[in-house]
Amino acid sequence: MTTTDSALKAKHRALWALGDYPAVATDLIPSLGPILVAATGIGPGQRVLDVAAGTGNVAIPAALAGADVVASDLTPELLQVGEKRAAEQGARLAWEEADAEHLPYRAGEFDVVVSCVGVMFAPMHQLAADELIRVTRPGGSIGLIAWTPEGFIGQLFATMKPYVAPPPPGAQPPPLWGSEAHVAALFGDRVSGVVTEKRSVVISGFPTGAAFRDYWKGIYGPTIAAYRGLADDPERTAALDQEMAALGDKYLINGAMEWEYLLYTASVV
C-alpha cells in the first residue's frame, strides 16, 4: 500500500469514527441486517464474512442464525461497539479490523460474503468488488445492500458533493453501488444467478427536513466532516443547511421518509 493509500485509509477510518454511527445502525436501519441474512439464506454450517460490518447489523443476526461469522471493518471503534452488542445478544463471532479493498483472507475462504451499506463506501469500487469475489468460494454467495443514487441517501450525497473536497483520483461515488448496471460491470461474468430488487426502509421521527438535518449534522460522519470543512465559511454553511433541509422536506411524506436501497444477491462462478 502506498503512502497516499495509507493516508486515505486513515482519513476514512477517522471519518466513520466521528459522531455516532452506531446509533444510526440501531435506531434507523436495524431491519436491513436481517433482510440480508434472509436474502442470502445464511444458516448453520456456513462460514460468513461481513465486509465493512460497522457494528454488526448483518454479522450479529448471521451469527444468531448459526453461521460461523467474521465481522470486518476499517474502523476499530465501530467493531468495539459491535462486539459489546453481540455479547449482549448472546452472539458469538469474530471481530477483525480489515480494509475492504485489501481483505486479509484466503481465496475462497467464505461460503457467503455480505455487506450492508458498507462496502459501498470503499473509494475504489473495482478493488473492493474484486476482493468480494476473491474471498468467496466458487458456488458461494454474495449479498449486498446499497443506497441507490436516486434515493434519499444518494441524493443527500449529491447535495453535499459541491461542499466537500474532491475525491482522490479513481474514487467513485458510494451510491453507484445501488445501480444494477454499475454492480454488473464490477462483477462481470464472475457471478451468476443475479437477483436485484429495489426496496425502501421507512424512517420516521423527523417532523421537518430541518430536524433531520440537525440530527444528521451531529451523528453521521460524512456530514460532520462536510460541515467541519466549512467552519470558516458561514455563507456556504448556511447554503448547505438550506439545501439539506429542503431535501429532507422533499422526502418527508406524512411524517416519514422512504430511503431506497438495492438488494443484490448472486453466486460466484
Side-chain angles (χ1 to χ4, degrees):
M1 186 181 295
T2 67
T3 302
T4 301
D5 289 338
S6 296
L8 179 60
K9 299 306 177 185
K11 180 179 178 180
H12 273 253
R13 187 179 294 113
L15 176 74
W16 291 104
L18 292 173
D20 190 1
Y21 186 77
V24 175
T26 300
D27 299 341
L28 299 183
I29 57 171
S31 63
L32 297 186
I35 286 171
L36 194 50
V37 169
T40 50
I42 290 173
Q46 292 179 319
R47 181 138 169 88
V48 176
L49 175 65
D50 186 0
V51 178
T55 56
N57 259 22
V58 186
I60 291 174
L64 291 173
D68 174 14
V69 180
V70 175
S72 68
D73 199 277
L74 189 64
T75 303
E77 291 88 345
L78 298 182
L79 295 173
Q80 290 164 10
V81 174
E83 189 169 9
K84 181 179 178 182
R85 289 182 176 172
E88 292 169 350
Q89 296 179 49
R92 290 175 168 266
L93 63 153
W95 300 85
E96 299 177 358
E97 187 175 342
D99 176 1
E101 296 173 1
H102 305 280
L103 292 170
Y105 305 111
R106 300 187 309 273
E109 184 171 344
F110 297 93
D111 300 303
V112 185
V113 175
V114 292
S115 187
C116 179
V117 297
V119 74
M120 64 182 290
F121 292 101
M124 307 303 173
H125 292 192
Q126 192 62 64
L127 284 178
D130 292 348
E131 284 293 87
L132 296 179
I133 294 287
R134 183 183 67 80
V135 300
T136 307
R137 66 168 176 79
S141 300
I142 289 176
L144 306 171
I145 286 179
W147 304 120
T148 66
E150 304 84 11
F152 177 74
I153 297 297
Q155 290 302 297
L156 183 64
F157 274 93
T159 297
M160 291 192 298
K161 183 178 179 180
Y163 297 92
V164 299
Q172 294 178 290
L176 279 179
W177 277 92
S179 161
E180 294 101 321
H182 182 69
V183 181
L186 292 175
F187 290 145
D189 60 3
R190 297 177 293 175
V191 295
S192 64
V194 174
V195 177
T196 62
E197 182 183 354
K198 288 185 178 178
R199 299 185 181 182
S200 294
V201 58
V202 177
I203 306 295
S204 57
F206 300 107
T208 65
F212 168 80
R213 175 203 64 207
D214 293 343
Y215 170 83
W216 213 236
K217 283 172 65 173
I219 203 168
Y220 192 62
T223 307
I224 295 170
Y227 275 94
R228 284 185 179 180
L230 300 174
D232 297 327
D233 194 333
E235 289 187 5
R236 295 191 76 210
T237 297
L240 180 55
D241 270 347
Q242 183 177 4
E243 289 194 38
M244 283 190 63
L247 182 69
D249 286 332
K250 178 181 176 181
Y251 278 82
L252 268 170
I253 300 174
N254 297 325
M257 298 177 177
E258 290 192 5
W259 294 4
E260 185 183 68
Y261 63 88
L262 178 70
L263 175 61
Y264 174 100
T265 57
S267 297
V268 173
V269 175

